[in-house]
Amino acid sequence: MAEHERFNFSNINDLQEQIRFLGLDLPIVRDIGILGEPFQAGRFRLPNRLAIHPMEGCDGESNGAPSELVFRRYRRFAAGGAGLLWFEACAVVSEGRANPRQLWLHRETMDEFARLVEETHKAARESMGPDHRPVAILQLTHSGRYSKPGYKAAPIIAHHSEVLDPQHRLPADYPLITDEELDRLQDAFVETARLAKQAGFDGVDIKSCHRYLVSELLASFTRTNSRYGGPEFKNRSRFVREIVGKICADLPGFVVTARMNAFDAIRYPYGFGVDHGDGTKPDLREPIQLAAMFKEHGAPFLNITIANPYLNPHYGRPFDFPAIGGYDPPEHPLEGVARMIHIARQIQEAHPDLPIIGAGYSWLRQYMPYVAAAAVRRGWVSIVGLGRGAIAYPDFAKDVLEQGKMNPQKVCVACSSCTQIMRDGGRTGCVVRDEEVYGPIYREGRANAPESIRDAALLCRRCVDAGCRIGCPCGIDVPRFLSHVAEDEIRQAYEVLRESNALPEACGWVCPSEVQCEGRCVQGKITGMAIPIRRIQRYVSQRARIEGWIRPEKLPEETGRRIAVVGAGPAGLACTAQLLAQGHRITVFDRREEAGGLLRESIPSHRIAGSALREEIEAVLEGFAERLEWRMGQALGESFNLDSLFKEGFDAVFLGMGLSKGIPLSAEGRPKEGVEDALSFLRRMKTGANRQVPQRVAVLGGGNTAMDAAVMAAKAGARDVFLIYRRSFKEMPAWPAERREAMDAGVHFLILTQPMGYIIEDGRLTGVRVTRTVLGEPDASGRRRPLVVRGSEHVIEADLAIEAIGQTAPADLASTLPGVRLGKDGLIETDPATCETSRAKVYAGGDIVNGGTTAAQAIAEGLRAAHAIDEALGG
């Protein structure tokens, strides 16, 4: 074996010279025309001999449906011209997903998969011509020992392995999947294949590679007393054979094939296709038998790969990242390329009438076509595909077909950043060639890696009377928190957070840290780079949730007191969590059907993950079910007011219902169509079925809600989004990060511009009347007052106006809350120290008190009220 080297060939002659030097049998031809020839595979006539291998993006929706990134990927693959599109791993059961965003085809997601197939074929026709139709195969999988359907790994293993078990930290008594469970799982594969056919796929792949469950069963030599294991190949192959047979019987004419490991490169008795005396050498007798089984069942082609790229990078894909186990021979990557090509060759030569799809060509970069064409001409392989190389270069086939070559500025450079994104839990793609989309994902993943979090915490100067703590509305002891993180004491760090913040993960998403804790960080003032406190807080909180540290080890004794909490937003939830921890019984009222308030309904998903918020709420309240009653869909009003709660026998009440009424631009001259309140718009964008926007959108306002609405309108497809604000940037209340996001989204900022009214035609909005302003002296808000410039009125054409001017309390608040004093602004007045209102035993916090600030401020007020309530009730 030669010493490992990175790719360093400036021309094809250099590559040929290196191949000769290494003594490898890797042919090269200059005429690559054979790759563009149509090819008959069974009943399919492929447009060419180029394929896209199944490379998972880890970017589906939480329910398993393809996300927009998935649609984007396959539209690009289809437009790229390959004749065979092998769609990525799709789970057949929820518990078999390799990550929480893996695709999962079931009845509820089938329509979205059908749309994916339809849009894929449409993109192919539009790019390559009306007669170009690539064959579409969907890979079906159960991830086995790599199963991770949630945030925590949940391995399902077929046998114990001295090689693999230590990598997963599995004890010797870790349970194996039973034969009965495998029997039932076969039916799941069959049902998913049935749905795949309905969705429009041409066939399915029973994934038999890279140590996932089917692949592991093939190597289950040590699985004794089982129909699915032991020394006999008929038992170890029973699972996949019976699945294939059932699908073929159930769906006549539907293609069933596989991407198959022909060589695991893991020593016997833990690897498939390996020499029993030397695990670094292949023994292809059983893989050839398995290929024969697929051929007998009508497979038009078979996709051959080897090893596990995360265990054996040289034996699998010759990428430049370190192995984490198994064998890691010090070889030149070209030796790995040759190994993959020749193993596929042996399968092809054993079954000359079964077209074999070859892999392992990506490392060759722009010289791939010359080696691929030579392998096809020699009959070593029938079709050649790219996997990671196609993620970087989705239109490689089109360039090969139309230009006769590949562009070296578009090829995969084997940096393995796409793999690192997966390891960091992100959505994978090519950071180098698709930087605009995947660069931020990669950098965020690296920034949130445990080692990066620890290194950042080490930079804290441990200030006394720290400004970061003063800047936090909840008063978190930030230096003590960071000290624990720096010592890798993550559980203790979380306990520091929970002392002052009931929902630290939610705040880690939405808090304006640059104007709060991080804005006062001494390190930031000295170096210009503050400690990333918010990011560290989010990491620690997520880790606590995943590890189950949030639930109290022992419930407090009940006090017998009952408290009503009105509003399930941040203030109400914080108050609820604290009072439960003090032993009280709580009933939560909210007009919505789900807890979370505006954080759940209206804050865009790119600013806070809905699942993270829901899961944190569930974790914080876990264990208190018998002491917690939810009355969702019930709000205070004329027939059920504050007096009603006390008549029910509640000992105290906390009011945290927030603000619910937007301020309109004008009560008169409003069109019937084309004007929408900002919170309603954001709610529609996040949770509604109708997420359509017109091409011209005007957003009225300069706060955070206005920025969110503008960004969402741009993301939804509006060509021009105008943000109209009557003051200057300096006076704009939106946080700096929110403004930057809107600018990055391409929003047009019309500052010193005041909206005056609407232009209406046939009841529909057609424009917004505006006028220029100049700034005068400061008004009561402390900001310079806008003054209208006479004669400057003009019209901004718009089809939708989103009003984000502000919010007010409901008009009937006084009658709803008898005995509670309201201020001139219509908000509830409270004692700042206790959050108690003018009515005894009634407390309040959040937007209904402060007019709308931050989630952290609302949480702080909810906690403050909870402590006051507990003390007043004799806690």
Side-chain angles (χ1 to χ4, degrees), residues 49-70:
R49 293 178 181 257
L50 295 170
I52 302 289
H53 285 309
M55 293 290 120
E56 189 181 348
C58 306
D59 53 6
E61 302 289 1
S62 60
N63 69 347
S67 68
E68 178 52 38
L69 279 178
V70 177

Side-chain angles (χ1 to χ4, degrees), residues 616-639:
E616 183 178 31
I617 293 171
E618 291 173 353
V620 167
L621 301 178
E622 187 181 7
F624 292 105
E626 294 183 359
R627 305 181 186 181
L628 176 61
E629 178 186 2
W630 296 94
R631 294 197 196 174
M632 307 306 287
Q634 184 173 1
L636 295 184
E638 184 177 345
S639 61

Side-chain angles (χ1 to χ4, degrees), residues 564-568 572 587-590 634-636 645 653-658:
V565 173
V566 182
T587 300
V588 179
F589 299 82
D590 197 285
Q634 184 173 1
L636 295 184
L645 296 177
V653 176
F654 175 77
L655 304 171
M657 61 281 263

